[in-house]
Amino acid sequence: MIGETSLIVYGLLISIGAISLFFGGFLLSTLISKRNLSEIEEQAASLSQERDEAKLHYESLTNNIAAAIIIRDSRGDISYCSPFTEVLTGYSRKEIYETVGDFFLTICEESDRERMARSIKVTELGGEPFQFSFQFFHKSGIKMWAETRTVPITNEEDEVVATLSVTLDITASMRYQMQVEEKNRELKEFTSMISHDLKAPIFTIRGMLQVIAEDYKNEVPSSLIELLGHIERASERLEILVTSILDYAKIGAKEVNLVPVSLSEVVNEVLADHHHLISSTDTEIRVLPLPMVLADRLMLSQVISNLIGNAIKYRMPQRKCEVTVCAEEKSTPRIVKLSVRDNGLGIPQDKIEDVFRPFIRLHGQDIEGTGIGLASVRKLVNKLGGSISLESAEGHGSTFTVTLRGVQ
Amino acid sequence: MRLLVIDDEETHRLLIKRALSALGVTSLDCIEIGKVEELDGLLASSLPFSVVLLDVHFGSTRGPTLIPTLKSHSPKAYIICISTSELQEDISECYQQKADAYVVKGATLSADILKAVKFAKASNEALS
């Protein structure tokens, strides 16, 4: 009996245990499911928020970017057009959406149409992106410039399902470029005119004076010889001036070849060129250690030659001429400040800016010159990507400081 | 030596011929023209030249454009382009058209022309 009862109890216990396990498992799994659901819901909410934010960002971008963005589906129909497209072209988005084929193809300049159509075809068929500049007509009739980049949008099978075009207004930069080209053309014509039309008569005057001097020197009265001398000297000055103007005009068109250059080498070369001037004026030149710079060697040489030449030319007659060439190097950003200091005539404070203007001669006709030198120096320094400044005290001397790019 | 001077400026032709006379070139050896229209007639009736001094700015004509015609008439001629211009584009244009030298009209014109012509003369002598 006891045995049967025990069996029953055991059976009951096992059953209860089994039931408990069943319900326990059920409760546990229910709890886990609820937790998962909650996490999934949280994740979904988070994703939804991220999606909304991304959409906001995307809309902010496409609505405000100064670019015409157009997406065309595989049938060629426009599925998206950014609001700026209206601003750029003058056409409403409704008109743009109703366009058959590529919108810009319908408004671009005739000469660009074939090239653009070909590029679009290549993108649509072969999945190759393209980018080029073209001219188009704004709805108002104004001719404008744009640069477009069209890329294919592909699916997982690498099939082109749409194309995305981003078109920017480059009218201002193209107009600027055209103005620059026009200026360059004018400069070329100007230099050509000076080179030939101005120099040819000078050549005639000087040549004929030489003919008179050689063939008629015994027949010309001395008073006339003196007058001819005036013509000779004036024509010589005119030739120097014309050559200087030409050199000044040509600086703008010069190509800059920036390479590491040893300042010491260039200064020594310049000093060798000025050897006669230095010794004949008993000038003392001090050159302190100089670093390497990034510059066009020829241009840099012209700058230094001009500054040292000026330092000697505008010396104080009453005292020994002393010129110091030194440099200061700064690492961030890497720049070199080259200074040419003299104890010469100096320049009044209110005339300091004038020395860099062309054809301004502060020392009148007493000292030979064309008034182009320092204007050329500033132009050359600007071409090298640097700047020039002047500190001066009348009667005490001047310090010209040229800022150049250091070598990294 | 037969020389041809092509220059639209009469005074420049005169100065060039004076420089040539220093080399012993007489007016009999030297022919000059001042207009492009005269060139074809001259070439049709002339024997080949040894040296041609060609103005780069020959009136409204670019002197270097005449070099092929001149070379065709006088294949052995030494073509010296001559100009007041020192512009790189003018110099390049002349050499691209196969000029043999470029001389700048200036204070040292005589010496420069003489140097170029002497070189031409020496070249001709070496070839003949």
Side-chain angles (χ1 to χ4, degrees):
Chain A
M1 185 72 188
I2 292 168
E4 282 179 7
T5 309
S6 295
L7 278 172
I8 291 165
V9 170
Y10 283 135
L12 274 171
L13 282 172
I14 289 166
S15 300
I16 290 166
I19 290 164
S20 298
L21 274 173
F22 173 77
F23 281 105
F26 176 77
L27 283 170
L28 190 66
S29 68
T30 305
L31 282 170
I32 289 168
S33 295
K34 275 189 175 171
R35 194 185 299 161
N36 276 355
L37 190 63
S38 160
E39 277 175 13
I40 288 163
E41 279 173 355
E42 274 175 32
Q43 280 175 358
S46 169
L47 283 172
S48 172
Q49 193 183 342
E50 276 179 33
R51 187 200 59 201
D52 290 346
E53 280 174 11
K55 193 181 171 200
L56 187 69
H57 291 161
Y58 150 77
E59 282 176 353
S60 304
L61 185 70
T62 52
N63 288 344
N64 295 297
I65 195 167
I69 301 170
I70 293 176
I71 298 175
R72 289 169 66 220
D73 62 24
S74 55
R75 294 188 308 274
D77 295 333
I78 295 173
S79 56
Y80 175 77
C81 166
S82 69
F84 188 78
T85 315
E86 291 182 328
V87 181
L88 181 64
T89 64
Y91 290 89
S92 69
R93 281 208 277 178
K94 186 174 180 294
E95 288 171 301
I96 295 166
Y97 276 112
E98 284 169 1
T99 309
V100 178
D102 187 273
F103 172 65
F104 277 105
L105 197 57
T106 63
I107 61 168
C108 76
E109 170 75 87
E110 185 66 40
S111 56
D112 290 320
R113 193 158 294 157
E114 194 190 326
R115 186 171 59 118
M116 186 182 258
R118 210 169 40 235
S119 302
I120 291 167
K121 208 78 188 157
V122 169
T123 304
E124 286 172 349
L125 296 175
E128 289 293 318
F130 73 88
Q131 180 168 349
F132 64 73
S133 308
F134 64 98
Q135 280 182 288
F136 70 94
F137 291 94
H138 186 271
K139 195 178 181 182
S140 64
I142 297 170
K143 197 186 269 191
M144 296 177 73
W145 279 94
E147 178 156 3
T148 190
R149 178 169 169 77
T150 300
V151 293
I153 299 171
T154 52
N155 60 15
E156 285 174 357
E157 278 77 45
D158 219 22
E159 295 164 339
V160 179
V161 290
T163 56
L164 166 72
S165 302
V166 180
T167 306
L168 301 171
D169 178 10
I170 56 164
T171 307
S173 65
M174 288 305 288
R175 281 187 186 144
Y176 177 72
Q177 192 180 318
M178 283 191 282
Q179 280 172 358
V180 170
E181 281 168 7
E182 178 63 23
K183 291 275 174 214
N184 281 342
R185 251 194 314 277
E186 283 174 11
L187 181 66
K188 205 173 167 188
E189 285 166 11
F190 176 71
T191 52
S192 176
M193 183 275 289
I194 292 176
S195 292
H196 180 255
D197 300 351
L198 278 187
K199 285 177 91 176
I202 298 171
F203 171 68
T204 302
I205 294 167
R206 301 196 69 194
M208 289 304 162
L209 284 169
Q210 201 177 341
V211 171
I212 293 169
E214 286 171 7
D215 294 5
Y216 303 97
K217 65 179 171 192
N218 296 327
E219 298 169 38
V220 178
S222 58
S223 55
L224 192 54
I225 287 175
E226 197 185 326
L227 294 176
L228 290 172
H230 287 303
I231 299 173
E232 169 71 21
R233 284 187 292 279
S235 64
E236 213 171 287
R237 280 203 303 276
L238 187 58
E239 186 167 26
I240 292 168
L241 185 63
V242 166
T243 305
S244 303
I245 293 169
L246 196 55
D247 289 344
Y248 179 70
K250 282 196 289 190
I251 293 171
K254 273 186 184 170
E255 279 185 24
V256 185
N257 179 27
L258 289 180
V259 290
V261 178
S262 161
L263 262 178
S264 298
E265 274 181 28
V266 174
V267 170
N268 286 333
E269 283 166 11
V270 169
L271 294 180
D273 291 343
H274 286 295
H275 173 71
H276 178 70
L277 179 66
I278 293 165
S279 58
S280 66
T281 54
D282 193 26
T283 299
E284 187 183 318
I285 309 263
R286 280 177 70 219
V287 182
L288 300 180
L290 301 170
M292 297 285 288
V293 290
L294 200 62
D296 181 296
R297 195 183 179 94
L298 187 63
M299 287 186 181
L300 183 63
S301 176
Q302 285 175 284
V303 168
I304 295 170
S305 176
N306 217 301
L307 293 179
I308 291 176
N310 273 357
I312 301 171
K313 190 196 276 186
Y314 299 104
R315 64 190 178 277
M316 197 73 148
Q318 298 88 344
R319 60 176 173 248
K320 185 179 173 68
C321 177
E322 292 172 359
V323 180
T324 304
V325 183
C326 58
E328 180 192 339
E329 196 171 9
K330 286 187 177 172
S331 55
T332 338
R334 195 163 282 279
I335 56 165
V336 171
K337 286 187 171 184
L338 172 74
S339 297
V340 177
R341 189 169 63 239
D342 66 61
N343 62 343
L345 295 169
I347 294 151
Q349 285 301 309
D350 60 333
K351 303 282 183 201
I352 280 181
E353 198 41 42
D354 289 346
V355 299
F356 296 110
R357 288 169 53 204
F359 312 116
I360 301 286
R361 302 200 55 223
L362 300 180
H363 299 282
Q365 301 299 322
D366 301 337
I367 302 172
E368 272 189 23
T370 57
I372 298 280
L374 285 172
S376 296
V377 166
R378 180 151 78 174
K379 224 171 169 183
L380 285 165
V381 170
N382 288 344
K383 292 274 293 184
L384 294 174
S387 61
I388 185 166
S389 61
L390 166 64
E391 282 178 41
S392 189
E394 198 173 10
H396 293 88
S398 304
T399 302
F400 285 89
T401 303
V402 177
T403 303
L404 297 162
R405 291 165 67 177
V407 176
Q408 295 295 331
Chain B
M1 182 179 274
R2 286 169 46 75
L3 282 100
L4 173 61
V5 177
I6 301 175
D7 200 310
D8 61 324
E9 295 243 10
E10 191 182 354
T11 50
H12 288 200
R13 294 201 300 274
L14 189 147
L15 293 168
I16 291 165
K17 283 192 292 177
R18 277 180 68 89
L20 291 172
S21 68
L23 191 69
V25 176
T26 65
S27 55
L28 289 173
D29 304 322
C30 186
I31 295 170
E32 57 179 279
I33 61 163
K35 288 178 184 165
V36 73
E37 295 79 24
E38 297 168 359
L39 185 64
D40 285 342
L42 175 78
L43 295 182
S45 61
S46 297
L47 291 170
F49 293 98
S50 317
V51 177
V52 179
L53 291 163
L54 174 63
D55 187 18
V56 177
H57 298 83
F58 183 40
S60 57
T61 305
R62 295 291 297 171
T65 62
L66 303 175
I67 293 176
T69 307
L70 292 164
K71 286 269 186 188
S72 165
H73 173 267
S74 307
K76 291 181 180 174
Y78 192 73
I79 311 279
I80 303 169
C81 285
I82 185 162
S83 174
T84 52
S85 169
E86 292 174 73
L87 292 178
Q88 193 54 49
E89 50 261 40
D90 284 332
I91 298 168
S92 300
E93 185 189 355
C94 291
Y95 284 115
Q96 276 165 11
Q97 293 290 340
K98 311 279 186 228
D100 297 289
Y102 190 98
V103 170
V104 177
K105 294 174 183 173
T108 57
L109 173 75
S110 302
D112 293 339
I113 290 181
L114 290 181
K115 205 190 291 176
V117 173
K118 274 179 185 172
F119 180 78
K121 194 176 180 186
S123 301
N124 277 0
E125 281 170 0
L127 288 170
S128 61

